[in-house]
């Protein structure tokens, strides 16, 4: 009887039926490794067709990542733990994803399965069984930690309730606000709102107004809204201002006696014309036999800001000053950054200085780091110093020309050692008193800028070496370094393939100096060519980002083995940390906790990134505002970005960037080729590539979204 039945099963068993049997079998033995033979015998698969069908099912299960082949013909259920913890990434188009903790591929989470999780929330998800040929899917079962509960948007106030309409691309729904939580907000006001709850059945989160920023469209309102959007402070706490007001500006005779006195040495500052916070000054005097003494004098901020004080805590939290198009959001209270610490001319100031005995060929014979008292003789703008370099005429011309000669020699040395020369110009706006952009200009780095830059690099590098280069057998003391890793090899290969289309070559292997020299060679070759800006942009994308860390790996882009940030303590917290630690170690103090300082380094790197994003958003806002008065006008540009949703175009005349949405390229069905940075038409084979020249007209300008849309002009 049994024989007969088995035969019948052998004949009749369909793939679906056998699949279920195989799966049930794996689940029953979920922690065991199962051999093919064992599956055949336990499931009584005796005929050749059944065995072949089973092999077919196993290969499906392998492809779907449902089981793993542990050894040849030995399998185990891939039991992911049916639950996982990680980060939720929200998109307003509903294409949300979950990034598992500890790495792994993203898992798709549909909006309906997101349990109202918001961007960057920490969540727990349950896995769905993977469908053939589809991506893995999951469902949020618990929100463990909210990443962000405040949003910026524009209020719409009805009779008994209100909504905050956000332009946040990560929040798909507007926020409902009860009438009594409006803080006096009216329709058209920009506001900061905190989400207080999001009931299960409700479509919209519920929130309350924390702050009214002002009328939408008003310049200050919009700049504050950008800061609030990035979670950056837009007002300075009064308690911190008050603490700063109590700091005496006078320098005592005892303090001067403790320091090296540079008040009689020729000293000056060189800064942008609108700067008020002068972080650094340079002094120079001749020594014997062709040697010069050059002093790099940095504002001694930590003499005034004591560790753990209310001012220090605020500076640590902010970690950096933020430079928007039309304003600076300082890290320190104004009394400190623009008055007490700022190295203003004809005022005695306390400094922390790196003093060099150096030849005009840039050879450093000796250096020391000391606390000093200085008095600047003159404040130069970059333009004034540049004019002296070009005309060889003007105040302190001998000193400035000698510093320029030494700086050029230092620069030459750096490039010989393999430093990479990115000379980007910056786009700046001329702005009227209402904050309206009237014209665009480009800020280039000239000899005067490079002069200051070289001496700052030299000081930063020297401080890092003094602490980092420990005697043999000794562990160096803890210091925040500014580190920069080698480029990602895959990105370098992509760059090499990309530039080959323009007829350029790039070395992607060999020593790090070989590679950086090859990058420099490329940057020289493209100078003045129409693809210059484009290839620079793509090259920069291939580079890693510089960051802060107590683990020194050197700075690839500058070709320094040791580098730190010492020269801008008025506007960067890492420089304040470095000042404190160097002072401590010079006084014979012990090393500090590595973990504590690594955390501070991470925080500073993150804040630097956020500040840069806010800065970019403010430039973008001004670009859209500037172009909104030029609707319908035609411009020549270059394709500066290619994505599946459209082409980004940068205009030649003013470097404003906008997008041609893919829906507007309606002459064909276009496919996105990521590898070659292009869109390709399926029928007519027309190609739009990164770097192509293109003519566009200004179609739409959406200030709310900071978006500029262009239309193609054939």
């Amino acid at each position: 009887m049994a024989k007969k039945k088995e035969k019948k099963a052998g004949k009749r068993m369909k793939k679906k039926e056998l699949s279920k049997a195989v799966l049930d079998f794996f689940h029953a033995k979920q922690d065991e490794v199962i051999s093919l033979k064992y599956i055949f015998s336990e499931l009584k698969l005796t005929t050749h067709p059944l065995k072949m069908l089973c092999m077919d099912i196993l290969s499906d299960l392998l492809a779907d990542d449902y089981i793993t082949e542990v050894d040849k013909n030995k399998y185990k259920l891939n039991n992911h733990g049916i639950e996982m913890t990680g980060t939720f990434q929200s998109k307003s188009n509903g294409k949300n994803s979950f990034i598992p903790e500890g790495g792994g591929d993203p898992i798709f989470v549909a909006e309906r399965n997101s349990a109202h999780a918001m961007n960057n929330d920490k969540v727990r998800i349950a896995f769905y069984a993977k469908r053939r040929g589809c991506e893995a899917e999951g469902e949020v079962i618990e929100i463990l930690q909210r990443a962000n509960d405040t949003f910026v948007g524009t209020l719409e106030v009805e009779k008994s309730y209100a909504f905050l309409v956000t332009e946040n691309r990560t929040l798909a729904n507007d926020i409902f606000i009860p009438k009594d939580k409006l803080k006096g907000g009216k329709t058209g006001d920009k506001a900061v709102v905190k989400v207080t709850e999001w009931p299960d059945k409700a479509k919209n989160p519920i929130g309350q107004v924390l702050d009214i920023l002002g009328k939408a469209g008003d310049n200050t309102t919009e700049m504050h809204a950008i800061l609030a959007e990035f979670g950056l402070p837009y007002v300075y706490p009064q308690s911190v201002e008050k603490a700063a007001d109590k700091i005496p500006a006078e320098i005592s005779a005892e303090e001067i006696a403790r320091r090296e006195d540079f008040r009689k040495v020729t000293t000056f500052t060189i800064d942008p014309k609108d700067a008020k916070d002068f972080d650094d000054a340079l002094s120079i005097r001749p020594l014997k036999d062709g040697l010069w003494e050059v002093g790099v004098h940095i504002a001694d901020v930590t003499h005034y800001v004591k560790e753990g004080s209310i001012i220090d805590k605020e500076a640590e939290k902010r970690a950096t000053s933020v430079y928007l198009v039309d304003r600076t959001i300082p890290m320190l209270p104004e009394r400190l950054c623009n008055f007490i610490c700022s190295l203003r001319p004809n005022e005695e100031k306390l400094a922390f200085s790196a003093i060099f005995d150096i030849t005009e060929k840039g050879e450093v014979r000796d250096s020391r780091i000391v606390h000093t008292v200085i008095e600047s003789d003159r404040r130069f703008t970059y333009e004034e110093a540049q004019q002296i370099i070009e005309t060889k005429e003007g105040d302190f011309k001998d000193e400035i020309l000698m510093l320029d000669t030494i700086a050029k020699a230092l620069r030459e040395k750096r490039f010989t050692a393999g430093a990479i020369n990115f000379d980007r110009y910056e786009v700046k706006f001329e702005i009227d008193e209402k904050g309206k952009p009237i014209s665009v200009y480009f800020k280039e780095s000239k000899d005067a800028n490079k002069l200051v830059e070289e001496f700052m690099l030299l000081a930063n590098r020297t401080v890092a070496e003094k602490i980092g280069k420990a005697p043999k057998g000794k562990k160096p003391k803890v210091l925040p370094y500014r580190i920069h890793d080698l480029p990602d090899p895959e990105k370098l290969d992509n760059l090499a393939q990309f530039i080959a289309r323009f007829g350029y070559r790039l070395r992607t292997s060999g020593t790090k100096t070989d590679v950086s020299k090859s990058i420099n060679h490329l940057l020289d070759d493209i100078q003045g060519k129409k693809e210059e800006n484009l290839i620079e942009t793509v090259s920069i994308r291939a580079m890693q980002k510089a960051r802060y860390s107590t683990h020194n790996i050197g700075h690839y882009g500058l070709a320094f083995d040791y580098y730190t940030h010492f020269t801008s303590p008025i506007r960067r917290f890492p420089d304040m940390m470095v000042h404190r630690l160097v002072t401590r170690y010079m006084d014979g103090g012990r090393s500090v906790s590595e973990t504590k300082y690594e955390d501070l380094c991470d925080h500073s790197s993150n804040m630097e990134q956020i500040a840069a994003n806010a800065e970019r958003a403010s430039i973008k806002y001004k670009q859209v505002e500037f172009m909104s008065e030029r609707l319908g006008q035609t411009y020549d540009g270059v394709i500066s970005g290619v994505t599946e949703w459209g082409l980004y175009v940068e205009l030649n005349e003013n470097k404003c960037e906008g997008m041609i949405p893919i829906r507007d390229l309606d002459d064909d069905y276009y496919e996105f080729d990521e590898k070659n940075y292009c869109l390709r038409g399926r029928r007519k084979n027309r190609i739009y590539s990164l770097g192509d020249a293109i003519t566009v007209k200004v179609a739409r300008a959406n200030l709310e979204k900071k978006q500029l849309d262009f239309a193609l002009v054939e």
Side-chain angles (χ1 to χ4, degrees), residues 305-342:
V305 180
K306 295 299 173 223
E307 198 166 354
S309 67
I310 180 172
I311 301 176
D312 182 50
K313 285 187 177 133
E314 184 68 24
E316 179 188 310
K317 195 165 83 190
R318 294 176 177 238
T320 178
S321 293
V322 184
Y323 295 89
L324 299 186
V325 170
D326 65 337
R327 67 195 63 212
T328 300
I329 315 301
M331 174 177 84
L332 294 167
E334 197 172 317
R335 176 170 160 85
L336 281 170
C337 57
N338 294 351
F339 173 56
I340 295 185
C341 298
S342 184

Side-chain angles (χ1 to χ4, degrees), residues 265-270 280-284 294-297 343 374 403 451-452 455-456:
V265 187
T266 303
T267 305
F268 39 78
T269 57
I270 307 177
D280 52 85
L282 293 169
S283 71
I284 180 167
V294 174
V296 179
H297 305 285
L343 305 178
I374 66 163
L403 285 171
L451 179 164
V452 174
F455 285 109
M456 297 310 128

Side-chain angles (χ1 to χ4, degrees), residues 236-407:
Y236 214 89
Q238 281 193 314
S239 52
V240 184
E241 295 269 16
K242 282 198 179 103
D245 290 342
K246 294 194 179 109
I247 296 174
E250 299 73 46
I251 302 170
S252 68
E254 298 92 72
E255 192 52 52
I256 288 177
R258 274 192 215 109
R259 295 173 175 251
E260 268 195 51
D261 192 344
F262 273 78
R263 288 175 296 181
K264 298 279 182 283
V265 187
T266 303
T267 305
F268 39 78
T269 57
I270 307 177
D271 286 283
K273 54 176 182 273
D274 52 0
K276 296 186 187 73
D277 50 351
F278 310 143
D279 266 310
D280 52 85
L282 293 169
S283 71
I284 180 167
R285 61 179 162 191
L287 302 168
K288 56 179 190 326
D289 323 326
L291 263 186
W292 293 84
E293 179 199 72
V294 174
V296 179
H297 305 285
I298 307 301
D300 192 355
V301 173
T302 56
H303 172 82
Y304 297 101
V305 180
K306 295 299 173 223
E307 198 166 354
S309 67
I310 180 172
I311 301 176
D312 182 50
K313 285 187 177 133
E314 184 68 24
E316 179 188 310
K317 195 165 83 190
R318 294 176 177 238
T320 178
S321 293
V322 184
Y323 295 89
L324 299 186
V325 170
D326 65 337
R327 67 195 63 212
T328 300
I329 315 301
M331 174 177 84
L332 294 167
E334 197 172 317
R335 176 170 160 85
L336 281 170
C337 57
N338 294 351
F339 173 56
I340 295 185
C341 298
S342 184
L343 305 178
R344 310 197 307 179
N346 310 316
E347 293 179 14
E348 291 184 353
K349 294 288 176 183
L350 299 181
F352 202 178
S353 309
I355 313 293
F356 302 95
D357 295 356
I358 193 168
T359 69
E360 58 185 87
K361 290 205 170 77
E363 293 149 347
V364 176
R365 295 289 157 78
D366 196 18
S367 66
R368 61 188 198 280
I369 314 285
V370 285
H371 288 95
T372 57
V373 55
I374 66 163
E375 186 171 332
S376 164
D377 296 293
R378 185 171 187 318
R379 144 163 174 53
F380 287 101
T381 64
Y382 281 124
E383 290 78 6
E384 291 166 341
Q386 184 62 29
Q387 197 164 3
I388 294 169
I389 293 169
E390 286 172 17
T391 63
K392 316 218 178 321
E393 284 305 321
D395 294 353
F396 301 112
K397 67 171 192 289
D398 299 339
E399 287 87 348
I400 283 190
L401 292 170
M402 181 45 69
L403 285 171
D404 183 53
T405 303
I406 299 172

Side-chain angles (χ1 to χ4, degrees), residues 420 484-492 515 519 542-544 556:
I420 297 175
H484 185 228
D485 217 339
L486 277 74
D488 177 339
E490 196 182 325
K491 286 185 176 170
L492 264 191
V515 175
I519 294 173
M543 297 291 142
Q544 304 276 14
Y556 175 74

Side-chain angles (χ1 to χ4, degrees), residues 147-193:
N148 176 21
D149 54 3
T150 58
F151 294 88
V152 180
T154 309
L155 290 173
E156 284 184 7
V157 183
E158 302 296 331
K159 220 181 183 129
S160 47
Y161 59 88
F163 277 103
L164 183 82
V165 181
T166 65
E167 284 305 341
N168 191 314
R169 278 181 269 306
T170 58
L171 189 67
N173 312 58
D174 298 331
I175 300 167
F176 175 85
I177 302 162
K179 198 67 188 248
D180 58 345
K181 297 278 188 272
L182 261 177
K183 250 194 162 177
K186 299 178 202 56
T187 294
D189 280 351
K190 275 252 155 120
V192 184
V193 166

